[in-house]
Amino acid sequence: SAVISQKPSRDICQRGTSLTIQCQVDSQVTMMFWYRQQPGQSLTLIATANQGSEATYESGFVIDKFPISRPNLTFSTLTVSNMSPEDSSIYLCSAKDLAKNIQYFGAGTRLSVL
Amino acid sequence: DAKTTQPPSMDCAEGRAANLPCNHSTISGNEYVYWYRQIHSQGPQYIIHGLKNNETNEMASLIITEDRKSSTLILPHATLRDTAVYYCIVRPAEYGNKLVFGAGTILRVKS
């Protein structure tokens, strides 16, 4: 299975600042995704990270707030911009292995905004 | 994507089989059934998936009814480490489709 590494694993940030989360996959995958998991909730898809082009955002998520990059097949970043306490969540990177038709997840980045 | 319905929580005795049901009555012919679990403070873990035949791997078995409107995930000998939230998700196989998570079932394995 694909191994997905995220960093940082956790961070505490001040209101109004931005945090960039990195995601590295150990093998070439076809698709990469970013999810958010708010406290006590299930996972919500933020966007699909597209290689070399703008990410595809789900309803309720916008590029200005969550800019995403994917410069190559195995690496992506998610930035949480101008943070507020409502952004305190776990952010998860995910990648799809097309050959196996399976989507794998990283351990997540636990973000607290003060 | 088809919706799924799962019980919010279940209990299971350690060492016994855990049978987790999932209803997906609006499933389409090209949609697979996927199961993931999320142990506290970890990312979701893939368990198993299937289209219409029953599937088994080292972790679990997936039983899909003949009409494909429901399925059951079976953990044959549950341990305390199987305590987690279990998600049943249906998704087409085509390139581009992503996983959409529902609320899942909280499985508590008790000694």
Side-chain angles (χ1 to χ4, degrees):
Chain A
S1 63
V3 175
I4 301 175
S5 302
Q6 274 185 245
K7 58 181 181 182
S9 58
R10 59 178 62 233
D11 208 340
I12 301 173
C13 300
Q14 295 298 316
R15 181 196 299 262
T17 63
S18 298
L19 176 71
T20 296
I21 303 167
Q22 297 181 4
C23 177
Q24 178 73 53
V25 187
D26 71 340
S27 57
Q28 292 200 347
V29 293
T30 56
M31 303 188 73
M32 295 182 74
F33 308 90
W34 288 97
Y35 288 79
R36 180 177 74 182
Q37 187 170 29
Q38 295 176 298
Q41 303 295 313
S42 185
L43 283 76
T44 301
L45 180 64
I46 297 173
T48 302
N50 300 310
Q51 185 194 358
S53 64
E54 190 173 293
T56 303
Y57 290 85
E58 298 296 309
S59 175
F61 297 95
V62 296
I63 187 171
D64 290 345
K65 177 66 176 178
F66 298 102
I68 290 170
S69 77
R70 187 181 174 191
N72 58 53
L73 279 174
T74 62
F75 184 79
S76 178
T77 66
L78 167 73
T79 299
V80 185
S81 303
N82 188 24
M83 288 183 285
S84 68
E86 292 71 36
D87 294 319
S88 297
S89 296
I90 300 173
Y91 292 86
L92 296 121
C93 175
S94 179
K96 183 176 178 181
D97 182 332
L98 184 61
K100 297 181 181 178
N101 202 14
I102 296 172
Q103 198 168 318
Y104 298 100
F105 289 81
T109 295
R110 188 179 297 271
L111 171 63
S112 296
V113 183
L114 305 178
Chain B
D1 294 349
K3 301 280 188 202
T4 62
T5 303
Q6 298 178 253
S9 65
M10 294 181 63
D11 290 339
C12 177
E14 189 178 21
R16 305 297 294 269
N19 297 278
L20 291 93
C22 180
N23 181 284
H24 32 79
S25 58
T26 61
I27 193 170
S28 300
N30 67 341
E31 289 185 312
Y32 283 73
V33 179
Y34 286 80
W35 283 85
Y36 283 76
R37 72 180 182 183
Q38 187 174 26
I39 297 170
H40 183 61
S41 297
Q42 298 182 21
Q45 177 188 22
Y46 166 80
I47 302 173
I48 199 166
H49 74 285
L51 183 61
K52 48 186 169 182
N53 296 325
N54 297 336
E55 302 287 344
T56 296
N57 63 21
E58 64 279 2
M59 289 183 66
S61 296
L62 173 60
I63 308 299
I64 303 174
T65 58
E66 192 169 341
D67 63 7
R68 302 186 69 240
K69 293 185 176 182
S70 66
S71 61
T72 301
L73 178 74
I74 301 173
L75 308 178
H77 304 287
T79 71
L80 298 178
R81 289 176 296 179
D82 292 321
T83 293
V85 181
Y86 287 77
Y87 298 99
C88 169
I89 304 167
V90 295
R91 184 183 75 176
E94 291 88 359
Y95 181 88
N97 279 284
K98 58 264 185 179
L99 290 174
V100 176
F101 285 77
T105 295
I106 300 171
L107 175 67
R108 301 185 185 92
V109 181
K110 300 184 176 182
S111 57

